[in-house]
Amino acid sequence: MIKHTLTLAMLLLAPVTHALAQAPPASVPVDHLKVPDDLEVTVWATTPMLFNPTNMDTDAAGRIWVAEGVNYRKHVTRRPEGDRIMVLEDTDGDGKADKSHAFVQEKALISPLGVSVFDNKIVVAQPPSIIVYTDVNRDQKFDPAVDTREEILTGFNARNHDHSLHAVIAGPDGKWYFNQGNTGAQVTDKDGKTFRLGGPYYKSGGGTPEWFNNPEEYAGKASDDGRVWISGAIGRFNPDGSGMQIVGHGFRNSYEECLSSFGDMFQNDNDDPPACRVTWLMEGGFMGYFSKDGLRSWQADKRPGQTVPIAHWRQEDPGSLPAGDIYGNGSPTGIAVYENGALPEKYAGSLLSCEARQRVVLSYQPKLGSGAAVELGKRSEILASPNDDLFRPSDIVVGADGALYVADWFDKGVGGHNDTDESTSGTIYRIAPKGFKPSMAKPTGDAIADSITLLKSPAVHVRNTGFNALKTAGAKSLPAVAAVLADKDRWISARAVWLLPLLGEKGSTLCRDRLKHTDAEQRLLALRSLRNAGTEVLPMIRELIADPSAAVRREIAILLRDIKGADKRDLVLQLFAKFADATDRTYLEACGMAADGIEADMWAELSKTQTAALQWSPAFARITWRLLAPAAVPALIERAKASSLSAEARRLAFDTLAFIGNKDAVMAIVDIAGGTDVPLATQAKWWLFNRGMDQWKDFGTKELLKTRGIYDPEKIVLQNIIAPPAMKGSKLPPPAEINKLAGDVARGKAASARCVMCHQIEGVGISFGPDLADWVKDQGAEAFAVAVTDPSQGIAHGYEFTHVELKDGGQIDGIARSIGDPVMLDSMGGISQLIPRDRIKQMKVFKNKSLMLSADQLGLTAQDIADLAAYLKTL
């Protein structure tokens, strides 16, 4: 633990209504916002009471605490004194904040992406550390002479970067959960264990981020728990910084996670179009953005025929979890579960996810399905801004009064390349029933009763305060906690279950009795609670190993992951024996995690239940795909080559061979690559180009490809392709002026003919550059004008300029799709080339230089750009 004492000079607490804004404060009018008919949206607070809100939380008194991101990315020097944590309050109960002050401001705060209020501990997510400010005298102002500041965990990478450390969240188990994006982290907890979250993303992302370590150096290296974890990831730990565990990994940029009172974890992820998602997350799950060895991006591993969403989350790779609801382009931000409060009963249990790019707050109704997963249900919207490009929701919280509060960052665009609002405005909107009047329970002086009231709070961190107080009270709080079990609200009742085994033997007995509950969700909850309390898990595993619920057995599989010894083998076999639905990938993945380290043994035993290779059941074929046992290779070769099997079954067998990747499997792939089955031959050649020159080179693949006429680097004829140099200056007016022009859809469609050499529009053209229609819809017309007049201002992820210089003097410009041997490079006009590594003199990737032609180079006028924007908006 690192402790700091700050001087008053370091804090420089600024007045709330400072002269920071360079433009008049602005906000989105509420009549531009749409909510369901039984709710209303009102302005609760707006600039100058707060600026650029990145995240927020609420305390028991109903105050809202806000992390400000004024010094965001390229504007890092906008506020020299540093960013602030603000406290806003509605003192007269009229439904609007009327008081605002800074809790803390310091130079070390540079666009923090998280603030969490745990009673008088204010936790700020500020890379490289999780900072805990303890407000000792509880005056909501940090005074270093009285209060304390501690960095309880440190080593989180990339300050002032969206893909870094996000808000700390309290679970119903009393643990704290952090969320780190794919910039990586190397964190040592209070117990001395180091966790390495690595990947191939370093010094990228635009703006002015500060990198503290290189995640490429520890990518694929085991952490001190013996497991390999890939950035981004979610971890949980005790509030003192001890007992850290990783509970999910392989994300891109999961802005925030949340947990229900039953312990189910949800997150959203991405902002790299078009594969944004909202997901229920199984503990320990891998989400597939980078490869499992932490060395490659999804683009490098995208196989022929795979859609972007499938490739993006490796949905056809063994070991990856189902990705949840993939809704396309977007920029997901804050997320919360609404359980109880002021809203009508039909909203109870809603999962609410902010989508800044699409300018909506998405809503789901998750429930335990017939399989192992929690199903999200139908996607809808609880808040939307259909016609205002400036609404950018950054966070959502359930207030202590039971209403919903949504923070609006307010900008024309999203992300580090599009921070264009010079007013640094921000607004907090309230969503509540029409005419709602806030009220808060007042303390009675009875410590136990008051703690129960806090436990029942709609606000997640308020009830965490009640949880801690009841836990500290111990057995004397058991009668009151046991009474909560009978609460008619299932969410409130669930909160009591987490406390039972922490309150003495009687409480533990009550919780163990619930393992026999007729409701599978209650059995699952009791199992999680007992495990959290340190109860020996093996007896519970044996008791529930044959549970009729796939979800309960899934949780048993998660527990078996860390079990050692002879007992494990038979228990895992019993779980696999229950896998009958080949489409239940969640259950299969849980079983695969349980089989960690004994995969070959499991496959050998399970294969005894099968007959000939061509008669495998669909479930066993999937089990083989997940376990990747080398002994399965002969049968897989037979299945891959069998014309009597369906194309789907043959493809699954082939994919399994490729992921096993031993010599026999690779030799079979070489045979298939030279065969007559065109779909599988295409797949085989991709694998050989992608792996054959490095991971599989010891099998002689390079020579085999040459002798069989599949790939001979000496016979490759390369075409020089030099991108046109960017034009200096522009004859066009500024984008803001272009945006004022009225666009004509018909003329815009005609003008789009000049764009199809690099972009596909309505099925015409080449998918070399990003989707222009999505760009206009997501970023707005002015951002489109910026991108067209100066493409290097904002390069879409995955479209970086790669310049290759050949040893013979040739040059090729394009976008690298794979950087193995050969390098796969796509160039303008749809030309793809395989470039042997030994013919490359040097290769450079430019992060701030675009391959796309500017409007001047295409001969587009300002009116053409306005017309194009009008047309693209209609697609």
Side-chain angles (χ1 to χ4, degrees), residues 92-152:
D92 58 9
D94 67 349
K96 294 181 180 180
D98 50 52
K99 183 179 178 183
S100 175
H101 74 273
F103 168 73
V104 68
Q105 179 178 28
E106 56 176 277
K107 292 182 179 180
L109 296 182
I110 303 175
S111 197
L113 297 180
V115 59
S116 311
V117 183
F118 304 113
D119 193 19
N120 68 330
K121 292 186 180 296
I122 314 306
V123 182
V124 177
Q126 176 59 76
S129 304
I130 294 173
I131 305 172
V132 178
Y133 300 92
T134 302
D135 185 15
V136 176
N137 61 4
R138 297 178 180 271
D139 64 352
Q140 299 92 49
K141 293 181 181 179
F142 183 74
D143 180 353
V146 178
D147 305 322
T148 63
R149 179 190 192 273
E150 300 177 348
E151 297 181 11
I152 58 170

Side-chain angles (χ1 to χ4, degrees), residues 25 189 294 549 692 699:
D189 72 0
S549 166
F699 302 144

Side-chain angles (χ1 to χ4, degrees), residues 342-419:
L343 274 61
E345 178 64 25
K346 69 179 183 180
Y347 293 100
S350 295
L351 175 65
L352 306 170
S353 176
C354 293
E355 176 39 77
R357 178 172 287 182
Q358 295 194 14
R359 302 178 294 278
V360 300
V361 178
L362 302 174
S363 178
Y364 302 84
Q365 283 285 332
K367 65 178 181 179
L368 202 60
S370 58
V374 173
E375 298 172 355
L376 293 180
K378 184 180 178 181
R379 182 196 331 137
S380 60
E381 298 173 357
I382 198 168
L383 179 65
S385 178
N387 301 310
D388 200 315
D389 291 341
L390 296 169
F391 178 63
R392 303 293 181 179
S394 60
D395 197 18
I396 182 167
V397 298
V398 184
D401 60 0
L404 299 175
Y405 292 85
V406 177
D408 178 12
W409 170 274
F410 188 87
D411 208 300
K412 295 176 183 177
V414 291
H417 302 293
N418 294 296
D419 177 17

